[in-house]
Amino acid sequence: MTLRISVIGTGYLGVTHAACMASLGFTVIGIDINAEKIAQLSAGILPFYEPGLEELLNSELAEGRLSFSSDISSAADCDVHFICVGTPQVKDGLAADVSYVDTSIRTLAAVAKSGSLIVGKSTVPVGTAERLRNDILKINQEIDLAWNPEFLRESFAIEDTLHPNRIVVGVANDRAEAILKAVYAENLAEGTPWIRADLPTSELVKVAANSFLATKISFINAMAEVCEAAGGDVTVLAEAIGYDPRIGHKFLGAGIGFGGGCLPKDLRGFMARSKELGADRALDFLREIDAINLRARVRVIELVRRDLSDDLVGKRIAILGASFKPESDDVRDSPALDIAAQIQAAGAIVSIYDPKAIESARRSFPALSYAGSIKECLTDADLVLHLTEWKEFQSIDPREYISIVRNPIMIDGRNKLDRDLWQKAGWTFRALGRSAKN
Ligand code: UGA
């Protein structure tokens, strides 16, 4: 029997999961309370940018395996329900807001058929799954809840969903695990590591993984601060330590640090939850990880000030990049836009160019100015900042633009540009964690 699957919440995670499950041959319905979003998705329009996803959405709609609805009772006859709603940071603290998860699971439990399995994918504070499982059992004893954390990266979402490097399932019994094994049969056949855990461990795996990744980035950014003080070069340091396989080269890219809808909020939510549990000492270090990360944004602004005699008023600053990472139009907690806003608040005239994120940036930061091309962005600039490492920026020929800027000063906030190339072309080149050598 082919499983019928529902996906509750059609944001970034939900649409990707729904389209990928459909591509495996399952019949999938995506549910969201936002009727406008449902209308767009039903018409094959993806409300955000993710490489390959709009194509997959359209092919699965055309095959008839994928549909969308704003009515949760349309999910009533599904066998498995994936919960993919958001858990943003609360407005007045560090904790994660789980109200969308609570509401969607309770509403679903009231309409779901007996024997079905609800599977949480949203990132939640440890203890949420057990609490909700007890709530569901009070509504219908024949419905079960499992947790199956998600590790997909934006801009690699399809690949990470179809071929994850591990599958973690938090289950309370063998039946729930057997249903999830049927969903992920192809991955099991491929040999993907399968980890069965209890509910709290499965919730913790997710926040522990994101905290570790954040720690790696802040570690190298702390080294960048020391390199700056000592006249060293953090890019050489990162390359050298990364050859030790216990350390590895990945996530040692020094620069303006991490942003996005996950790493910052997850490590804050983890700290808040550990405090509630009385284990806050254990995660004290994450406070420093967060602080190092935010300091990287301040350090790049200090470099700008140094090059412009500490006076930003009326200076034209060109900013390359708006999204929190390349190949994405996501600007949630984007370091690039945070820096742009701070520079503008200090009196500078900013001009921002991004290959994909101008529209989303304009929605979040309407008071900033945006350019339609690299050339327009750089025209008459007193200084250029490279803040999101799109490939397009790495292939810029610095000779081509030297005559259109007012001052040829480039500050590379991502350590991805070729310093020699820029210097040979006549630019003053600076980067975080690297001595000036000018
Ligand atoms: C992150 C995790 O990598 C995923 O495994 C996880 O599933 C996801 O959060 C989530 O919780 O949903 P994502 O937010 O897409 O994925 O972004 P990352 O690729 O982790 O990058 C996060 C930030 O770190 C970006 O701003 C990036 O520019 C920055 N970064 C990354 C660095 O500053 N240096 C690096 O070396 C690597």
Side-chain angles (χ1 to χ4, degrees):
M1 184 198 78
T2 316
L3 290 172
R4 290 180 60 85
I5 291 177
S6 87
V7 174
I8 316 296
T10 58
Y12 194 85
L13 168 61
V15 180
T16 307
H17 196 65
C20 287
M21 290 295 115
S23 77
L24 293 173
F26 298 114
T27 306
V28 181
I29 181 158
I31 309 277
D32 202 292
I33 48 170
N34 183 335
E36 198 188 320
K37 206 192 273 181
I38 290 299
Q40 277 186 316
L41 290 167
S42 303
I45 301 164
L46 191 65
F48 53 86
Y49 174 69
E50 170 65 32
L53 189 54
E54 195 160 73
E55 292 81 347
L56 189 66
L57 168 71
N58 277 287
S59 64
E60 295 311 314
L61 285 170
E63 291 290 335
R65 284 188 290 255
L66 178 60
S67 62
F68 293 93
S69 169
S70 53
D71 178 6
I72 201 152
S73 58
S74 319
D77 64 344
C78 290
D79 307 290
V80 184
H81 309 273
F82 284 100
I83 305 298
C84 296
V85 296
T87 52
Q89 187 176 336
V90 294
K91 290 201 168 58
D92 56 353
L94 296 183
D97 175 1
V98 290
S99 59
Y100 301 121
V101 176
D102 282 13
T103 310
S104 57
I105 289 185
R106 289 204 194 103
T107 320
L108 180 63
V111 298
K113 68 176 180 185
S114 293
S116 63
L117 179 68
I118 301 178
V119 184
K121 284 193 97 56
S122 310
T123 304
V124 289
V126 59
T128 305
E130 214 141 71
R131 171 174 62 77
L132 286 168
R133 187 165 186 273
N134 291 334
D135 289 353
I136 291 171
L137 293 176
K138 280 182 211 141
I139 299 169
N140 181 346
Q141 288 230 333
E142 303 296 315
I143 299 176
D144 198 0
L145 178 75
W147 220 262
N148 169 217
E150 184 54 60
F151 306 107
L152 70 79
R153 298 159 296 166
E154 296 193 15
S155 77
F156 296 96
I158 296 175
E159 172 68 16
D160 286 354
T161 303
L162 291 177
H163 306 286
N165 48 27
R166 78 285 208 193
I167 296 173
V168 178
V169 295
V171 290
N173 50 57
D174 292 344
R175 184 176 175 273
E177 185 184 18
I179 294 174
L180 284 163
K181 280 191 166 166
V183 171
Y184 293 118
E186 286 209 11
N187 302 109
L188 284 170
E190 272 176 16
T192 308
W194 179 267
I195 294 144
R196 173 177 172 160
D198 53 29
L199 290 170
T201 306
S202 67
E203 293 164 310
L204 284 170
V205 168
K206 170 65 194 232
V207 281
N210 275 0
S211 298
F212 192 85
L213 294 170
T215 301
K216 247 188 132 176
I217 299 168
S218 278
F219 173 83
I220 202 65
N221 282 334
M223 293 306 110
E225 289 185 36
V226 178
C227 282
E228 279 164 22
D233 185 331
V234 73
T235 61
V236 177
L237 182 144
E239 191 195 351
I241 63 172
Y243 282 116
D244 181 334
R246 293 169 302 173
I247 297 175
H249 283 116
K250 290 186 178 149
F251 272 61
L252 285 185
I256 57 171
F258 58 81
C262 304
L263 260 47
K265 89 156 167 77
D266 286 356
L267 66 96
R268 291 172 196 153
F270 198 13
M271 281 188 271
R273 183 64 183 134
S274 72
K275 191 169 182 189
E276 286 169 5
L277 294 168
D280 40 335
R281 277 294 303 282
L283 298 188
D284 260 357
F285 75 99
L286 287 181
R287 202 169 289 283
E288 194 52 37
I289 298 306
D290 203 3
I292 293 168
N293 190 52
L294 296 175
R295 210 153 63 219
R297 304 178 188 187
V298 176
R299 282 168 41 234
V300 86
I301 297 171
E302 280 166 5
L303 281 183
V304 173
R305 285 190 173 282
R306 212 178 300 160
D307 270 323
L308 297 178
S309 316
D310 207 19
D311 180 14
L312 301 191
V313 178
K315 297 284 165 54
R316 303 185 76 90
I317 312 284
I319 294 183
L320 296 174
S323 54
F324 86 104
K325 67 189 264 189
E327 293 300 327
S328 165
D329 65 353
D330 194 343
V331 299
R332 285 176 295 169
D333 198 356
S334 163
L337 287 180
D338 185 11
I339 290 163
Q342 291 192 49
I343 287 178
Q344 177 167 283
I349 303 159
V350 302
S351 174
I352 304 168
Y353 171 73
D354 188 287
K356 293 280 181 207
I358 296 291
E359 255 178 68
S360 48
R362 210 191 290 274
R363 277 197 298 274
S364 304
F365 287 83
L368 293 171
S369 305
Y370 300 92
S373 65
I374 296 177
K375 189 171 179 201
E376 187 189 335
C377 176
L378 264 55
T379 300
D380 293 334
D382 290 296
L383 187 146
V384 185
L385 279 169
H386 171 242
L387 299 184
T388 312
E389 68 276 33
W390 287 89
K391 283 220 169 65
E392 187 175 334
F393 302 149
Q394 285 151 55
S395 52
I396 288 177
D397 181 350
R399 289 171 304 184
E400 198 184 320
Y401 293 101
I402 195 154
S403 57
I404 66 162
V405 295
R406 200 176 288 160
N407 278 316
I409 307 173
M410 164 57 86
I411 298 181
D412 183 5
R414 290 293 184 181
N415 276 309
K416 281 283 170 8
L417 301 180
D418 182 339
R419 177 169 66 182
D420 290 347
L421 189 75
W422 284 78
Q423 286 181 336
K424 274 191 198 122
W427 289 69
T428 298
F429 188 92
R430 313 217 185 279
L432 289 176
R434 302 179 81 182
S435 51
K437 280 200 188 157
N438 271 315

